Amino acid sequence: MAEVIGLASGLLTLTVAAYKTSKSLYETVSSLQSQRKTIKDIQADLNSLVTVLEKVHEHIQSSHNIKRLEPLRQPVDCCMTTYQEMHEMLDACIIHGTDSRNSVRDWLGMRCHEKSFEDLKQRLFSYKSTLSIAFDSIVMQDHSSTQDSLEELKDSISGIKEDLEDQLAQVQRTIRTAEASLREVLQDDQARLQSSLNSLAQAQRIADGIHPSIIIQRNRANQGSRAIFGTNAEYLATR
């Protein structure tokens, strides 16, 4: 019992911290009032992440099986690490700049631990998507799912998996030529990318084990015909 309480408390604390940090970054980015597409994309991802974290927080508080939610810990941690890095870069630009347009320009051009702004933007999207996928796969175990929703989840897993693999390959190439002082940081980045791929693999296993619900639709066959119903679809066979 004490172990379960500890797991719930730790995951809840991490999720609350991630929520506060992501919301803070969202508000800071919004205060720049930039109309650049890149900044708008970041705002959209952060807003989406805040929504996912709210759902995770609510689910943790109401769940009677907290161990099932443990796979969310790593994706939440990956998200928080990434937007902490983004926040540090942005704070440095704001402190040294007097014009918001210059601050945005400087932010977009900065590098942090061999990662460009675009690299961090990709990380944020991938980690946010991984968290959302992991959460959806866990929720689907407790609720009926249609064939369409399962296929949508599997398509999402496949797409984000390819994105993460590309990023992982890029980091591995960078490690081979990086100075010794940077390798530890890059290896941490590599570990986070690999952990996200592991989270997706677990979500895939869950999805493969879920049987979609059968939706019975009203028989619209003509008189003298019989209806054959299948998963999430209706098929008519005329005698």
Side-chain angles (χ1 to χ4, degrees):
M1 184 65 178
E3 180 187 0
V4 173
I5 293 174
L7 287 173
S9 177
L11 185 55
L12 186 61
T13 300
L14 179 62
T15 302
V16 170
Y19 173 82
K20 290 180 178 178
T21 307
S22 61
K23 194 169 184 180
S24 173
L25 180 56
Y26 175 80
E27 291 171 351
T28 303
V29 173
S30 298
S31 70
L32 297 174
Q33 298 182 333
S34 174
Q35 299 304 311
R36 288 174 180 258
K37 182 181 184 302
T38 301
I39 300 301
K40 292 293 185 183
D41 289 343
I42 287 290
Q43 286 179 284
D45 283 340
L46 286 169
N47 189 46
S48 176
L49 178 58
V50 167
T51 300
V52 173
L53 288 168
E54 285 176 340
K55 292 179 181 178
V56 171
H57 180 263
E58 292 172 1
H59 205 75
I60 293 171
Q61 289 186 310
S62 62
S63 177
H64 299 295
N65 189 355
I66 198 66
K67 285 187 176 181
R68 182 179 284 186
L69 302 179
E70 187 61 21
L72 299 178
R73 183 184 299 274
Q74 198 62 39
V76 171
D77 185 62
C78 287
C79 287
M80 190 160 77
T81 299
T82 300
Y83 45 68
Q84 281 176 336
E85 290 181 336
M86 296 184 80
H87 215 319
E88 289 172 7
M89 291 169 64
L90 180 56
D91 286 345
C93 293
I94 292 175
I95 290 172
H96 294 100
T98 56
D99 186 281
S100 62
R101 287 175 298 181
N102 291 336
S103 296
V104 170
R105 191 180 301 113
D106 291 343
W107 191 34
L108 298 181
M110 285 186 74
R111 297 186 68 83
C112 178
H113 305 310
E114 291 302 306
K115 292 194 292 289
S116 66
F117 178 88
E118 188 59 32
D119 291 334
L120 287 174
K121 181 172 174 284
Q122 286 181 327
R123 296 286 194 283
L124 178 63
F125 176 78
S126 297
Y127 292 152
K128 180 262 298 183
S129 300
T130 300
L131 174 59
S132 181
I133 287 168
F135 179 68
D136 287 344
S137 67
I138 290 171
V139 171
M140 278 187 177
Q141 293 180 93
D142 299 323
H143 300 83
S144 59
S145 304
T146 65
Q147 185 66 38
D148 285 346
S149 63
L150 268 177
E151 289 301 323
E152 184 178 347
L153 177 64
K154 291 178 180 180
D155 287 346
S156 296
I157 292 172
S158 177
I160 299 303
K161 180 175 179 286
E162 290 181 6
D163 289 344
L164 287 167
E165 287 173 340
D166 289 344
Q167 293 172 64
L168 180 59
Q170 181 186 31
V171 171
Q172 289 171 336
R173 288 193 298 270
T174 304
I175 289 174
R176 286 195 289 268
T177 58
E179 297 179 3
S181 59
L182 285 173
R183 282 180 189 158
E184 184 176 352
V185 175
L186 291 170
Q187 286 167 349
D188 288 342
D189 190 24
Q190 176 181 246
R192 283 190 291 273
L193 288 165
Q194 185 59 60
S195 74
S196 292
L197 285 168
N198 295 342
S199 295
L200 290 181
Q202 184 164 4
Q204 182 70 61
R205 289 192 294 272
I206 292 173
D208 289 341
I210 295 175
H211 299 289
S213 58
I214 297 176
I215 299 177
I216 304 298
Q217 299 181 1
R218 183 172 60 86
N219 185 357
R220 295 190 295 271
N222 295 327
Q223 188 174 5
S225 300
R226 57 190 176 88
I228 301 174
F229 301 97
T231 302
N232 202 30
E234 176 185 345
Y235 299 90
L236 299 179
T238 305
R239 292 184 301 184

